[in-house]
């Protein structure tokens, strides 16, 4: 199904892409006007003091030397120290990454499960009033900007009804010792509910529409007629015979969505004061905190590239007709 | 075409005047002189050479999103310069970091932001901002007479004599006008009065976010025992040696609260005893501090003179960038005499030492820091040590390290053994990312008080009026909103141009205060805020007369206008 040479070639290409991305990022951020010194030093500071800080960050070296040093460090997975926080970039990014994924993964898994199921149902019901009504609802919800939905949801359920917290990831009194405790507590669920609900209203649309359209195509295939002729129940025809073949593009979409999930939903993170990676990426870029911004974007691209690869491989298992690298 | 423009400008000003109900002098634009507004004082000439025409004046500014009030004020002034003075002024809004770097490299004509006197010390403006070699003199202003006075005041130990010098410095800047004030900012703070005794709340130049408030505020009930506030985490200045940026974007409140300094600037902006109970100038360059006895660090070890000497000596030896200005360049040597007396010898007489050095440098525990430095192998640049829950700071201040959940909250339990032990049990910084959320959090009780408020003041004031459980406190801070001009290039390298600009700005102040700042501000003529009443010179020279006055100044200096209302440089001058 997948030959080893193909995988090796893909891996090499991935490594090359990542290298190119990291290089572009390095130079791109240094083109942004402003620069870290204006963001990190006290404007009351003297020139000598500024110079000392510039040296401390290694910003006085020629660009090519800074670049070489950076590449060598990254190759050893050392992303340096944040100019702004003064802490290690790896641990900072990791914390934020976990925060973002706890929100985004939850939302994606729910959205794609519901979306795939409803999409199959709608496809099956094609031509009925139910289907038309369903499509109107789906398109309406999908067209609402997610930050706007977020604000409305927050306003109603939190500001007005007081049922949910105003923002953040945990309550004032909450304390945790382990990661598991942190993400499996009721306090966390209470805080994650509104943002996940908001994200789901938006993200359910894509798998739903994809699934419906694919299903329509699959339903016109002759093996579906065969299945029906065998006297199978509609349920069985739909879920065992049709849906399985219609699901492929949804899998790709899911894998790529996971990749982009790393970047989070900056607007949702802002509306709900979620301490995620998306907001941090924007902040780091504005502050010219090069180490953090570069590492965050590098992480994003690594995951997008990897998830694309994973989607391709997954295809070969889901659809035996697909084979990679055999020509 | 020009007529249309003039009519538009006039309508614009009238409508603004209508809102404020006070400003009535801004409608001279339609008096018919010239083509594009202006006053009777204008000298209009035909066939002026192209090179004398004034190029666009670039007004470097923060974005509207960053501070809407400031942005509106800028737009208003720029519009008046353009429409009523014929000075083509362009607002150029950019990100905060870009403002700073362009200002430093001189790529601007006008730049606006808020600035204040550090720790209520006038020297923090007088020398750095306007002396020829001042570290923050980005206007490029230069005057020998001024330099002399500026350096004399920081050495003058006689308070009255120093006051006179500080007043003179303000007068020279007032006459020469490298800086033109928009207003003195007034601030509005809200808190839950159902949880605290109202008269125990202390507001200072840093608002409610000050140690006097957090140690003296008296809770009424259980909910008031833990103060949750909106101060922004990331608490990025947690390493006390790395307080590189005490600027507006940074937060060194936790560091200030977890450590003690020899003295602290009090609510009235005067030096108050703190870790030192008293101090005395032995001569112009020698000052002795008497330490309070019985103080301990959070780990129980005693605070002694050797910790103070160790802290300052470390700075003198290793030169952390954050302390170059106020320690390394100022202190010659520091010595202890017994367990509780510390004597500093200064390089040269420096009166601001008490507030800007002794009032800022945190006293570090020698035993803790030496082991921290050894452990991390960071003995040369200890300001690079990253401070986390696993490696917290230990100080002796009224609050101690609790937990830091980066991006979510920072907890500081109070330190009961402190001589100024807080009445509350804990302070928690818990940032929310929108002002709407902050506002709701105060209303629903998630927040006990707002350390600062960047939202709409009228909205907050409305909430206080409607709800019995909220109270407010207002204060004239030490800040001022100003426009600095680039004295190194045309058109503001010419003093009459700066004075004329000042006349336009002064004439716009009431409108700016009422319309852009919701009435929270006072008219301002000098760079020292009236809350520093001893140093504030209320008779500082300024220029009035509005558009008429500005036009007269410029006409007297030889500026002329063409028939389209565009200003031109005097004969023999160009904008190149």
């Amino acid at each position: 199904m997948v030959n080893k040479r193909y995988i090796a070639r893909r891996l090499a290409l991935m490594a090359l892409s990542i290298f190119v991305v990291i290089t572009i990022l390095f130079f791109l951020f240094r083109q942004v006007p402003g620069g870290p010194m204006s963001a990190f030093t006290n404007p009351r500071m003297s020139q000598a003091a500024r110079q000392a800080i510039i040296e401390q960050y290694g910003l006085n070296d020629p660009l090519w030397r800074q670049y070489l040093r950076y590449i060598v460090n990254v190759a050893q997975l050392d992303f340096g120290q944040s100019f702004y926080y003064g802490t290690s970039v790896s641990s900072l990014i990791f914390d934020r990454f976990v925060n973002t994924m706890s929100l985004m993964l939850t939302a994606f898994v729910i959205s794609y499960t519901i979306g795939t199921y409803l999409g199959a149902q709608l496809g099956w019901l094609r031509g009925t009033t139910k289907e038309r009504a369903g499509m109107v609802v789906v398109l309406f919800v999908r067209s609402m900007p997610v930050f706007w939905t977020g604000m409305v949801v927050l306003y109603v359920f939190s500001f007005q009804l007081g049922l949910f917290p105003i923002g953040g990831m945990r309550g004032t009194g909450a304390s945790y010792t382990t990661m598991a405790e942190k993400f499996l507590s009721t306090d966390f669920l209470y805080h994650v509910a509104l943002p996940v609900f908001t994200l789901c209203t938006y993200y359910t649309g894509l798998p739903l529409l994809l699934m419906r359209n694919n299903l329509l195509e699959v339903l016109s295939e002759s093996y579906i007629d065969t299945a029906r002729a065998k006297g199978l129940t509609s349920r069985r025809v739909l879920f065992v015979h049709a849906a399985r073949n219609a699901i492929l593009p949804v899998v790709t979409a899911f894998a790529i969505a996971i990749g982009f999930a790393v970047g989070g939903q900056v607007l949702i993170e802002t509306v709900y004061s979620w301490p995620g990676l998306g907001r941090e990426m924007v902040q780091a870029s504005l502050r010219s905190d090069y180490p953090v911004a570069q590492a965050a974007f590098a992480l994003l691209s690594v995951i997008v590239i990897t998830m694309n690869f994973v989607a391709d491989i997954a295809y070969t298992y889901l659809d035996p007709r697909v084979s990679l690298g055999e020509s | 075409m020009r007529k249309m423009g003039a009519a538009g400008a006039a309508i614009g000003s009238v409508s603004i005047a209508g809102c404020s109900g006070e400003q009535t002098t801004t409608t001279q634009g339609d008096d018919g002189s010239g083509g594009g507004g202006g006053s009777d004082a204008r000298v209009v000439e035909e066939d002026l050479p192209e090179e004398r025409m004034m190029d666009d004046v670039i007004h470097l500014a923060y974005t509207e999103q960053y501070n809407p009030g400031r942005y509106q004020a800028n737009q208003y002034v720029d519009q008046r310069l353009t429409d009523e003075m014929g000075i083509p002024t362009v607002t150029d809004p950019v990100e905060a970091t870009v403002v700073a770097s362009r200002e430093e490299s001189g790529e601007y004509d006008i730049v606006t932001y808020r600035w204040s006197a550090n720790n209520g010390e006038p020297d923090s403006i007088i020398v750095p901002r306007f002396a020829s070699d001042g570290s923050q003199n980005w206007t490029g202003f230069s005057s020998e007479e001024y330099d002399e006075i500026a350096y004399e005041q920081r050495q003058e130990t006689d308070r009255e004599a120093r006051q006179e010098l500080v007043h003179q410095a303000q007068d020279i800047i007032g006459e020469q006008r490298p800086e033109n004030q928009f207003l003195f900012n007034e601030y509005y703070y809200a808190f839950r009065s159902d949880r605290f005794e109202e008269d125990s709340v202390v507001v200072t130049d840093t608002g409610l976010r000050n140690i006097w408030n957090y140690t003296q505020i008296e809770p009424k009930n259980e909910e008031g025992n833990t103060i949750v506030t909106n101060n922004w985490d990331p608490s990025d200045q947690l390493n006390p040696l790395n307080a590189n940026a005490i600027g507006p974007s940074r937060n060194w409140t936790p560091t200030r609260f977890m450590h003690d300094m020899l003295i602290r600037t009090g609510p009235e902006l005067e030096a108050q005893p703190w870790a030192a109970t008293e101090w005395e100038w032995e001569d112009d360059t020698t000052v002795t501090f008497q330490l309070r006895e019985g103080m301990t660090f959070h780990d129980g070890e005693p605070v002694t003179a050797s910790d103070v000497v160790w802290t300052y000596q470390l700075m003198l030896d290793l030169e952390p960038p954050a302390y170059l200005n106020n320690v390394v360049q100022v202190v010659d040597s520091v010595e202890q005499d017994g367990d509780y007396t510390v004597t500093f010898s200064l390089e040269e007489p420096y009166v601001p030492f008490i507030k800007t050095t002794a009032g800022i440098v945190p006293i570090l525990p020698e035993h803790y820091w030496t082991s921290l430095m050894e452990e991390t192998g960071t003995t040369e640049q200890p300001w690079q040590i990253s401070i986390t829950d696993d490696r917290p700071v230990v100080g002796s201040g009224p609050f101690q390290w609790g937990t830091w959940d980066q991006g979510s909250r920072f907890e500081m339990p109070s330190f009961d053994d402190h001589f100024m032990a807080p009445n509350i049990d804990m302070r928690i910084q818990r940032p929310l990312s929108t002002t709407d959320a902050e506002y709701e959090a105060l209303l629903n009780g998630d927040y006990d008080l707002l350390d600062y408020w960047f939202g709409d003041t009228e909205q907050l004031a409305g909430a206080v009026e409607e709800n019995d459980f909220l109270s407010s406190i207002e204060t004239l801070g030490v800040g001022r909103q100003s426009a600095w001009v680039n004295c190194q290039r045309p058109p503001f390298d010419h003093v009459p141009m700066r004075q004329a600009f000042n006349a336009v700005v002064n004439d716009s102040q009431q409108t700016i205060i009422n319309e852009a700042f919701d009435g929270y501000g006072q008219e301002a003529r000098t760079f020292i805020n009236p809350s520093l009443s001893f140093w504030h010179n209320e008779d500082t020279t300024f220029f009035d007369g509005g558009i008429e006055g500005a036009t007269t100044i410029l006409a007297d200096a030889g500026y002329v206008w063409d028939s389209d209302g565009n200003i031109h440089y005097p004969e023999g001058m160009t904008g190149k």
Side-chain angles (χ1 to χ4, degrees):
Chain A
M1 294 199 295
V2 186
N3 81 29
K4 285 184 184 128
R5 269 187 56 195
Y6 172 80
I7 293 199
R9 212 175 63 222
R10 273 294 293 266
L11 287 175
L13 272 174
M14 279 166 63
L16 182 69
S17 318
I18 291 167
F19 171 74
V20 170
V21 167
I22 288 175
T23 303
I24 292 176
L25 284 174
F26 180 89
F27 291 103
L28 202 62
F29 278 112
R30 279 157 181 79
Q31 295 311 308
V32 177
M37 289 317 290
S38 29
F40 301 118
T41 56
N42 179 359
R44 299 181 189 283
M45 202 168 246
S46 68
Q47 284 305 320
R50 276 154 180 268
Q51 200 52 43
I53 293 173
I54 288 177
E55 278 165 28
Q56 175 188 326
Y57 292 153
L59 292 167
N60 54 333
D61 288 344
L63 204 54
W64 64 268
R65 189 172 292 161
Q66 290 183 42
Y67 171 69
L68 281 186
R69 193 171 48 216
Y70 184 69
I71 290 293
V72 169
N73 287 340
V74 166
Q76 302 164 5
L77 294 182
D78 171 7
F79 288 90
Q81 283 228 332
S82 159
F83 294 167
Y84 185 80
Y85 298 101
T87 53
S88 128
V89 169
S90 316
S91 73
L92 177 79
I93 299 266
F94 178 75
D95 283 354
R96 296 296 175 115
F97 173 72
V98 171
N99 293 349
T100 287
M101 289 317 259
S102 68
L103 173 65
M104 298 301 282
L105 266 188
T106 315
F108 276 134
V109 168
I110 295 177
S111 303
Y112 276 75
T113 312
I114 297 178
T116 312
Y117 177 77
L118 289 181
Q121 293 289 3
L122 278 188
W124 188 254
L125 295 173
R126 186 185 180 189
T128 63
T129 325
K130 263 190 194 167
E131 191 237 0
R132 274 194 295 275
M135 285 305 287
V136 170
V137 173
V138 171
L139 289 174
F140 179 75
V141 174
R142 174 86 183 156
S143 329
M144 295 194 297
V146 68
F147 69 91
W148 179 81
T149 319
M151 278 154 56
V152 172
V153 167
L154 187 68
Y155 179 78
V156 173
F157 293 98
S158 186
F159 293 1
Q160 291 304 314
L161 301 175
L163 294 175
F164 287 95
I166 282 169
M169 235 177 71
R170 49 188 242 180
T172 310
S175 68
Y176 310 93
T177 43
T178 64
M179 205 69 144
E181 230 177 274
K182 185 169 174 178
F183 289 105
L184 294 174
S185 63
T186 47
D187 180 55
F188 175 75
L189 290 179
Y190 179 52
H191 282 80
V192 84
L194 285 191
V196 161
F197 174 73
T198 307
L199 287 168
C200 285
T201 58
Y202 181 74
Y203 284 113
T204 305
L206 180 72
L208 192 155
L209 293 174
L210 269 180
M211 190 62 197
R212 171 185 168 273
N213 294 351
N214 293 321
L215 196 80
L216 292 183
E217 242 172 69
V218 169
L219 286 181
S220 65
E221 301 272 340
S222 43
Y223 72 89
I224 297 294
D225 294 334
T226 313
R228 281 188 171 139
K230 284 197 293 187
L232 298 177
T233 58
S234 325
R235 261 191 96 70
R236 203 167 159 79
V237 174
L238 170 59
F239 288 108
V240 178
H241 293 260
R244 188 169 167 195
N245 284 302
I247 210 169
L248 290 178
V250 180
V251 171
T252 324
F254 182 69
I256 293 175
I258 295 292
F260 281 104
V262 179
Q265 253 288 355
V266 178
L267 296 170
I268 283 298
E269 287 181 5
T270 306
V271 170
Y272 290 101
S273 305
W274 197 264
L277 190 60
R279 207 143 57 92
E280 194 50 46
M281 279 163 96
V282 173
Q283 290 296 329
S285 309
L286 287 177
R287 294 175 187 135
S288 301
D289 191 352
Y290 300 147
V292 173
Q294 285 168 193
F297 281 98
L299 179 67
L300 173 64
S301 36
V302 166
I303 294 192
V304 170
I305 291 169
T306 313
M307 289 315 284
N308 259 318
F309 175 66
V310 169
D312 285 352
I313 302 289
Y315 254 50
T316 63
Y317 290 96
L318 289 170
D319 186 346
R321 288 168 304 176
V322 176
S323 63
L324 296 172
E326 284 166 16
S327 55
Chain B
M1 278 303 282
R2 280 305 302 179
K3 272 213 162 111
M4 289 275 290
I11 289 165
S13 345
V14 169
S15 68
I16 289 172
C19 296
S20 75
E22 288 188 39
Q23 195 70 26
T24 51
T25 55
T26 57
T27 53
Q28 290 136 326
D30 58 355
D31 68 0
S33 73
S39 78
D40 295 334
R42 273 191 185 186
V43 180
V44 180
E45 286 182 20
E46 300 294 336
D47 302 325
L48 289 159
E50 183 72 18
E51 68 267 16
R52 279 176 59 193
M53 184 150 153
M54 193 173 288
D55 287 336
D56 281 352
V57 171
I58 306 299
H59 184 163
L60 185 60
Y62 283 78
T63 55
E64 181 164 18
Q65 188 201 10
Y66 190 88
N67 187 326
R70 187 184 299 172
Y71 188 81
Q72 286 165 16
N74 290 339
Q75 293 262 294
Y76 176 58
V77 169
D78 292 348
Q79 194 194 342
R80 293 195 72 190
L81 288 173
T82 307
D83 295 343
E84 299 176 47
M85 291 297 298
I87 300 169
T89 312
V90 185
T91 319
D92 187 8
V94 294
E95 287 300 331
T97 54
V98 182
V99 173
S101 69
R102 274 183 56 187
E103 185 190 14
E104 282 166 48
S105 58
E107 293 169 61
Y108 72 98
D109 293 306
I110 303 171
V111 60
T112 34
Y113 48 86
R114 194 178 69 82
W115 192 266
S116 55
N118 208 4
N119 269 13
E121 174 50 69
D123 180 77
S124 67
I125 298 173
I126 291 177
V127 171
R129 289 245 38 152
F130 299 115
S132 307
D133 58 353
S135 56
Q136 298 130 23
N137 183 359
W138 300 299
T139 63
F141 174 76
S142 177
S143 149
E144 274 179 33
E145 184 197 5
Y146 179 83
D147 288 354
E148 210 167 287
I149 292 171
Y151 281 99
E152 209 181 322
Q153 64 78 28
R154 61 158 53 166
Q155 306 196 348
E156 181 54 70
T157 42
D158 182 81
R159 213 167 125 82
E160 307 291 326
R162 184 172 177 224
Q163 180 193 40
E164 179 54 34
L165 291 166
V166 170
H167 281 192
Q168 280 175 27
Q170 291 174 68
D171 240 347
I172 296 175
I173 298 300
E175 176 72 31
Q176 300 271 318
R177 284 293 157 193
E179 173 181 324
N180 300 281
Q181 297 78 21
F182 279 18
L183 74 158
F184 289 130
N185 293 89
E186 281 175 344
Y187 298 96
Y188 186 92
Y189 299 96
F191 59 94
R192 298 278 307 210
S193 45
D194 58 337
R195 297 179 182 175
F196 309 108
E197 299 295 344
E198 250 180 84
D199 48 14
S200 69
V201 174
V202 184
V203 65
T204 70
D205 58 315
T206 51
L208 296 180
R209 185 183 36 151
N210 71 79
I211 197 67
W212 309 98
N213 187 36
Y214 276 93
T215 50
Q216 288 172 27
I217 196 166
E218 191 73 56
K220 274 185 185 168
N221 45 39
E222 195 49 42
E223 284 169 321
N225 267 331
T226 299
I227 295 189
V228 185
T229 181
N230 62 336
N231 208 329
W232 61 89
D233 196 337
S235 315
D236 52 298
Q237 308 275 295
L238 291 171
N239 183 331
L241 292 169
N242 191 41
N244 287 331
I246 309 157
S249 62
R250 313 304 290 273
N251 179 9
W252 73 320
T253 307
T255 293
R256 300 271 299 166
F257 283 16
M258 290 187 291
H259 292 89
D260 286 323
M261 294 87 202
L262 287 170
I263 68 112
R264 281 195 199 255
T265 303
E268 304 301 322
L269 299 169
E270 289 306 312
Q272 294 278 337
W274 193 262
T277 47
E278 52 191 51
W279 59 93
E280 196 180 345
W281 287 95
E282 314 270 340
D283 58 53
D284 275 4
T285 54
T286 315
V287 57
T288 297
F289 290 85
Q290 206 57 47
L291 275 192
R292 191 183 292 274
E293 296 184 20
M295 290 171 60
T296 59
F297 288 108
H298 301 148
D299 60 3
E301 296 288 320
V303 181
T304 65
S306 74
D307 293 298
V308 179
V309 171
W310 183 84
T311 303
Y312 280 87
Q313 197 58 50
L314 176 87
M315 292 173 180
L316 291 175
D317 292 342
L318 302 181
E319 308 193 348
Y323 299 94
L324 276 184
N325 275 0
N326 49 10
V327 178
V328 181
Q329 287 165 8
V330 174
V331 179
D332 182 47
S333 66
V334 51
E335 278 164 22
Q336 72 185 93
D337 175 14
D339 274 352
Y340 297 105
T341 309
V342 180
T343 303
F344 292 86
S345 298
L346 308 186
E347 301 269 359
E348 53 184 44
Y350 184 62
V351 180
F353 177 81
I354 303 295
K355 276 192 199 165
T356 56
T357 304
I360 284 182
V361 175
I363 300 169
L364 307 178
E366 179 182 358
H367 63 280
Y368 185 74
W369 273 88
T370 42
S371 71
L372 200 58
M373 285 157 67
E374 260 164 45
E375 229 172 78
T376 55
T378 321
T379 47
E380 289 304 305
Q381 301 194 326
W383 51 95
Q384 294 201 21
I385 296 174
S386 63
I387 300 292
T388 60
D389 272 356
D390 301 331
R391 203 187 291 137
V393 292
V394 170
S396 57
F399 288 90
Q400 43 187 334
W401 185 284
T403 58
W404 180 25
D405 193 359
Q406 214 249 346
S408 296
R409 71 178 174 180
F410 186 77
E411 288 184 6
M412 290 191 292
S414 55
F415 180 46
D416 294 336
D417 291 339
H418 196 269
F419 59 88
M420 284 277 277
N423 298 320
I424 56 167
D425 294 338
M426 169 110 80
R427 175 179 189 273
I428 301 179
Q429 292 184 185
R430 194 161 178 270
L432 289 168
S433 47
T434 61
T435 51
D436 286 332
E438 288 179 337
Y439 176 81
E440 292 296 334
L442 181 70
L443 287 182
N444 81 3
D446 283 358
Y447 280 157
D448 299 287
L449 57 80
L450 298 177
D451 263 356
Y452 57 82
W453 174 244
F454 288 160
D456 180 1
T457 311
E458 281 190 338
Q459 180 195 14
L460 191 58
V464 170
E465 200 152 297
E466 276 171 32
N467 297 293
D468 289 342
F469 56 84
L470 290 180
S471 283
S472 67
I473 192 161
E474 285 170 47
T475 176
L476 178 67
V478 291
R480 69 207 187 277
Q481 180 76 42
S482 280
W484 288 266
V485 295
N486 188 341
C487 304
Q488 294 283 342
R489 71 181 197 190
F492 293 112
D493 57 346
H494 197 210
V495 177
M497 191 67 198
R498 307 206 287 256
Q499 295 172 337
F501 179 50
N502 185 246
V504 176
V505 169
N506 283 331
D507 190 50
S508 310
Q509 285 197 7
Q510 268 310 324
T511 307
I512 289 174
I513 292 167
N514 292 330
E515 300 304 317
F517 290 87
D518 299 332
Y520 291 94
Q522 291 183 13
E523 288 199 19
R525 310 286 184 228
T526 179
F527 60 84
I528 302 280
N529 199 292
S531 45
L532 292 165
S533 53
F534 186 75
W535 307 113
H536 171 73
N537 177 357
E538 59 180 9
D539 298 322
T540 302
T541 309
F542 68 97
F543 298 86
D544 57 6
I547 299 298
E548 190 73 32
T551 309
T552 309
I553 295 170
L554 291 176
D556 288 349
Y559 287 83
V560 291
W561 285 259
D562 63 19
S563 52
D564 289 335
N566 302 312
I567 195 166
H568 285 63
Y569 286 101
E571 222 171 334
M573 275 175 70
T574 68
K576 309 291 173 252

